[in-house]
Amino acid sequence: MKKTLFGAIFILFLGACYTPINNSGVATTKPWLEVSGKKLDFDGKQYDSCYRFDIRFWPQEAAEEIDLKEACVSACCWRSDKDEVTLDFNKNYEKNLAFYGRARKYSPGKITFKVSHSNLVNTTKVTVSPKGAVSNNGLVKLSYKEEENPARLAQIEAAARRLQTRRNAYLIEQQQRQAEADRPKKRSKKEEQQETLVKNLLLRQAGAKIDAYFYEMNKVYNKQGAVFMLSDRILRVTPLNTQGEYAVSCHAKARTGVNAKKLNASTFSCGRWRVRLEDATVLPDDRKALQILSD
């Protein structure tokens, strides 16, 4: 009679500590202990279960020091494979201090969970060491001290300076190369002579048409009571191949405005032309040049 009464009292005592039953139909002693699956024997008694710790960490960086899967936090673990889990927050402390020159040392450094199950009351129990390391709502709150290795920090700073020096030298070299590439190449006397021949050929064959184009433009401005002051034409010669064929872009600077006191600088295109010295041919190479030649 006494044993029966003691057993009933024991069951009631445990029942007062239970949290609601999990999806697997198993009660747990902590709200943050989840049981997602179980294995039963022929008598219907549980002999294994897959559990997970639904816990959070503060500071959050502490979670980076542990393998959350191995710690049964991001995935469930079978009790038959692992009924005890230890979170070692300082496992990488020495390595981090040696490599980065700075590392956090957490307290408590280790937290151990021991999981067991009672078929008598269908409850999975977890004990935590040190006691109170996990709050009832699953928060693992750690304190920490940030340690420094002055010698390693000096090495890192020196390496960073060397790297920056090399980077600066590389950037200067790149800028010099770019400046060299952008610098106009000095032309030989023969190239200058060829360019002169190209320009003269263009002006002989299309110069009158270009002049007429700008003359008509001036008349349009005058009819509107505006001012059109044209300066010299600018011809830019670009070799197209080694067979004496060239592209020539034609532009003219001008000042225009409603009156002579208020003029704006403008640039007007007089077409792109293709010039062949071999057979003294000048052809229009864009719509503007074709318009000028056709008028």
Side-chain angles (χ1 to χ4, degrees):
M1 181 68 181
K2 288 183 179 180
K3 287 184 179 180
T4 304
L5 181 61
F6 177 77
I9 294 174
F10 178 70
I11 292 172
L12 289 173
F13 175 76
L14 288 177
C17 301
Y18 297 162
T19 61
I21 293 177
N22 282 255
N23 292 335
S24 62
V26 179
T28 59
T29 57
K30 295 293 182 182
W32 44 266
L33 175 61
E34 295 182 351
V35 177
S36 57
K38 60 184 178 179
K39 295 178 181 179
L40 306 178
D41 60 18
F42 291 113
D43 296 327
K45 294 181 179 179
Q46 183 191 131
Y47 67 89
D48 201 0
S49 59
C50 202
Y51 65 89
R52 185 181 78 86
F53 305 126
D54 184 18
I55 55 178
R56 316 181 311 281
F57 301 90
W58 189 94
Q60 294 182 2
E61 295 84 355
E64 298 173 6
E65 302 301 328
I66 59 176
D67 185 328
L68 295 177
K69 184 177 180 180
E70 288 295 318
C72 310
V73 174
S74 62
C76 74
C77 299
W78 287 100
R79 187 163 34 86
S80 60
D81 296 330
K82 186 187 301 184
D83 63 356
E84 183 172 304
V85 177
T86 297
L87 310 186
D88 187 352
F89 298 99
N90 294 327
K91 179 177 62 177
N92 300 314
Y93 168 74
E94 295 292 344
K95 182 173 67 176
N96 289 343
L97 187 62
F99 186 79
Y100 299 108
R102 187 178 285 112
R104 288 181 176 182
K105 194 164 191 177
Y106 291 99
S107 179
K110 291 183 180 181
I111 297 177
T112 300
F113 301 93
K114 178 70 175 177
V115 180
S116 59
H117 179 76
S118 170
N119 278 314
L120 178 64
V121 289
N122 189 31
T123 300
T124 300
K125 178 182 178 182
V126 58
T127 56
V128 183
S129 177
K131 190 175 181 180
V134 184
S135 68
N136 196 54
N137 64 2
L139 178 63
V140 178
K141 191 171 183 180
L142 306 169
S143 62
Y144 66 89
K145 183 178 180 182
E146 194 161 275
E147 305 283 354
E148 291 186 351
N149 182 335
R152 178 55 181 159
L153 288 175
Q155 288 178 347
I156 293 172
E157 186 177 351
R161 286 197 301 268
R162 290 194 298 271
L163 182 62
Q164 188 61 48
T165 300
R166 289 198 296 270
R167 176 171 173 76
N168 291 342
Y170 171 78
L171 291 176
I172 292 172
E173 182 182 355
Q174 290 296 102
Q175 291 170 356
Q176 290 173 343
R177 288 182 178 178
Q178 188 62 47
E180 185 67 26
D182 295 340
R183 187 178 298 119
K185 294 181 179 179
K186 188 176 181 180
R187 294 172 299 171
S188 67
K189 185 169 289 187
K190 182 180 179 181
E191 288 174 329
E192 290 178 351
Q193 291 173 347
Q194 291 289 90
E195 185 173 306
T196 300
L197 290 173
V198 171
K199 290 180 179 179
N200 289 340
L201 181 59
L202 173 64
L203 293 176
R204 281 200 309 270
Q205 296 196 22
K209 287 283 188 178
I210 294 171
D211 288 343
Y213 169 73
F214 284 120
Y215 176 72
E216 291 298 323
M217 186 179 292
N218 183 51
K219 286 170 59 177
V220 172
Y221 271 81
N222 289 338
K223 285 181 181 180
Q224 297 174 350
V227 178
F228 181 82
M229 299 175 62
L230 188 69
S231 65
D232 294 336
R233 292 180 295 273
I234 302 170
L235 302 177
R236 299 189 185 279
V237 179
T238 305
L240 295 177
N241 49 50
T242 58
Q243 285 73 47
E245 194 170 12
Y246 297 83
V248 182
S249 62
C250 177
H251 296 85
K253 298 288 186 181
R255 296 180 69 80
T256 60
V258 293
N259 54 58
K261 293 182 178 179
K262 190 175 182 181
L263 298 176
N264 298 314
S266 303
T267 301
F268 294 91
S269 170
C270 39
R272 176 182 167 93
W273 305 82
R274 181 165 295 208
V275 178
R276 291 203 300 264
L277 290 178
E278 186 177 357
D279 55 4
T281 302
V282 175
L283 298 171
D285 201 32
D286 69 354
R287 186 176 298 177
K288 177 63 69 177
L290 183 61
Q291 174 194 343
I292 291 172
L293 198 62
S294 301
D295 288 343

